[in-house]
Amino acid sequence: MNDCIFCKIAEKEIPSEAVYEDDVIYVFHDLNPQAPVHVLIVTKKHIASLDAVEFDDIDALGWLITKVKDIAASLGLENGYRLVSNCGEDGMQTVPHLHFHLLGKRKMLWPPG
Ligand code: 5GP
Ligand code: ZN
């Protein structure tokens, strides 16, 4: 998608601090961290949000989920972490490219605000 900021980040047209990359996903530090560790996991394929996930995306998203524990371990999150995807207006999604926030190194609040 031409004007999508996370597509541009995944394609290295916009710089970011990379954490992990493979053919399917790109992981980078959030610009405005909400925890001592806060990275974003995106699919390289443009998917607008959880609402836009299709049957064809099962392999990519299954892969993404299986990689979470390895990404968390590489960031030292042995005491746990939170994985969040904000969707749509009420979910307070601000970037319309599906992404998962991986947050750690502090106790998370529940319920979230
Ligand atoms: P959302 O609000 O859509 O759930 O999350 C979007 C996230 O992207 C926010 O946490 C925000 O700080 C982060 N973000 C927005 N623009 C950029 C950027 O250009 N670079 C990086 N690294 N993070 C960004
Ligand atoms: Zn995109």
Side-chain angles (χ1 to χ4, degrees):
M1 243 221 170
N2 280 342
D3 57 352
C4 171
I5 187 169
F6 284 178
C7 281
K8 287 182 177 168
I9 285 175
E11 288 161 13
K12 318 287 166 43
E13 290 172 24
I14 293 176
S16 64
E17 197 183 337
V19 170
Y20 174 81
E21 177 174 19
D22 60 32
D23 289 346
V24 178
I25 63 173
Y26 184 63
V27 186
F28 56 103
H29 287 278
D30 196 293
L31 205 56
N32 183 24
Q34 302 300 313
V37 170
H38 184 177
V39 303
L40 300 172
I41 308 173
V42 302
T43 52
K44 289 192 168 175
K45 176 187 172 184
H46 180 85
I47 303 170
S49 75
L50 286 171
D51 266 350
V53 171
E54 295 175 344
F55 191 77
D56 281 352
D57 300 322
I58 286 174
D59 285 352
L61 293 178
W63 176 253
L64 185 156
I65 292 296
T66 65
K67 296 306 289 182
V68 167
K69 63 182 182 306
D70 301 330
I71 297 160
S74 77
L75 294 165
L77 303 183
E78 57 282 323
N79 207 41
Y81 51 83
R82 181 166 291 170
L83 187 69
V84 179
S85 187
N86 299 323
C87 182
E89 188 178 344
D90 281 359
M92 299 294 283
Q93 181 179 7
T94 59
V95 177
H97 178 129
L98 178 61
H99 53 283
F100 294 86
H101 299 256
L102 176 63
L103 302 127
K105 291 284 181 191
R106 72 165 169 82
K107 293 276 189 239
M108 300 300 152
L109 302 174
W110 192 264

